[in-house]
Amino acid sequence: MADKEFTYSDVSEHNTKKDLYVVIHDKVYNASSFIDEHPGGEEVLLDVGGQDATEAFEDVGHSDEAREILDGLLVGKLKRKEGDPKPKTYTPTASTANATDGASMGVGLYAIIFIGGALAFGAYKYLQAQQEGQ
């Protein structure tokens, strides 16, 4: 079923809540069964129904789980024709460019907290020793 080809014209006919197709990275997905479960609300999907939703999908920074759900909605691929809208090119923004940035920032934060705690403990012990010496 995912081998089926759709034109933009075909996809654009599927733009209602009960019959909703979206194009993401030139793949066609039937989002009809997911519209009520979409965490961002149905309006978000209806706004891009029957259209290329690549930019909207990527700008939100969907999780791996969301991408897995998307894979399950795949019904085919987009067959571009002369006169179709140009493909939405997606350039990752700084916030989505490198998923490991967030992980390394988290590790850095823990390091700062650990070092701050060690310094505070050292200062506490130093002051305690100073008071005992008086």
Side-chain angles (χ1 to χ4, degrees):
M1 187 171 189
D3 292 336
K4 187 171 181 184
E5 288 189 336
F6 295 86
T7 64
Y8 250 109
S9 178
D10 296 333
V11 173
S12 68
E13 294 172 9
H14 302 272
N15 61 2
T16 65
K17 183 175 178 178
K18 300 234 184 279
D19 182 25
L20 189 72
Y21 282 17
V22 293
V23 175
I24 300 173
H25 296 295
D26 285 351
K27 292 181 181 175
V28 180
Y29 300 92
N30 181 348
S32 308
S33 63
F34 187 66
I35 194 162
D36 289 328
E37 299 163 36
H38 187 259
E42 66 182 46
E43 298 81 20
V44 179
L45 289 176
L46 289 170
D47 284 347
V48 294
Q51 304 172 42
D52 189 332
T54 303
E55 193 171 358
F57 181 83
E58 294 296 351
D59 280 350
V60 172
H62 283 87
S63 65
D64 290 340
E65 182 182 354
R67 292 175 190 278
E68 287 175 23
I69 291 169
L70 189 64
D71 287 343
L73 304 176
L74 181 67
V75 291
K77 60 185 175 182
L78 185 66
K79 181 179 181 181
R80 293 192 177 277
K81 290 184 168 182
E82 193 68 36
D84 281 348
K86 297 278 184 240
K88 299 273 181 161
T89 55
Y90 177 70
T91 307
T93 59
S95 62
T96 59
N98 190 348
T100 59
D101 284 349
S104 62
M105 188 176 115
V107 170
L109 184 59
Y110 282 120
I112 290 170
I113 291 170
F114 178 75
I115 291 169
L119 288 173
F121 180 74
Y124 170 75
K125 285 297 203 181
Y126 174 77
L127 290 173
Q128 197 174 32
Q130 291 294 324
Q131 282 184 342
E132 288 176 5
Q134 289 180 352

